[in-house]
Amino acid sequence: YTKPESDSTPDPYRVVGDRSDVSSADFPRLRFASRSHVPLDGSAYESVAEIIYYVSEDEEGRYRLRRSDRLYPYETPEEKADDPVLCEKMKSLVFTYYDNEGEVHDTWDSESKENDYATPKSIHIRMEVGEESEASMVVETMVMLPVVREALE
């Protein structure tokens, strides 16, 4: 890996955790590369895939967690109506990124100087699910990335 130049193509293996506006709500979005491709067309083809977790809104104004899964060479990331829905009735979703020193970050970009061109060491995920008028169910987990890129600076 080498640091990107201002006009270089983004690293296909980068990790990007940013924010996206969904209707009037603000939800996180997580993009990374993985060999854990889920072939939705029934094929057994294996390759590195670009995986994006994001939230969309359904026809009734409720939020859904979706997974976009595209094999290399990646298309321009865009939400598609046929991306699988992983969870419905999302009230909140929070990704918290931890660097190699254990410091907490709300967003991440492994192509940026701010994150020392490194990938996060782990990601904490917290989501709240339920109907607006009912009690919520909260689910939390911590994912330790099996491969990380150390800081370059």
Side-chain angles (χ1 to χ4, degrees), residues 122-135:
S122 60
I123 304 171
H124 180 260
I125 303 163
R126 182 187 188 278
M127 65 181 191
E128 182 181 4
V129 181
E131 293 289 349
E132 287 301 320
S133 60
E134 298 176 5

Side-chain angles (χ1 to χ4, degrees), residues 130-145:
E131 293 289 349
E132 287 301 320
S133 60
E134 298 176 5
S136 300
M137 178 174 66
V138 175
V139 178
E140 294 185 65
T141 190
M142 178 74 83
V143 178
M144 305 295 289
L145 276 64

Side-chain angles (χ1 to χ4, degrees), residues 119-120 144-149:
T119 58
M144 305 295 289
L145 276 64
V147 177
V148 296
R149 183 171 63 219

Side-chain angles (χ1 to χ4, degrees), residues 23-58:
S23 203
S24 60
D26 181 38
F27 283 98
R29 178 178 46 201
L30 174 60
R31 182 248 176 253
F32 59 95
S34 175
R35 292 195 50 97
S36 295
H37 169 63
V38 178
L40 300 175
D41 60 2
S43 69
Y45 182 71
E46 291 187 25
S47 180
V48 174
E50 173 190 61
I51 298 173
I52 303 172
Y53 288 100
Y54 67 95
V55 174
S56 68
E57 187 176 19
D58 68 13

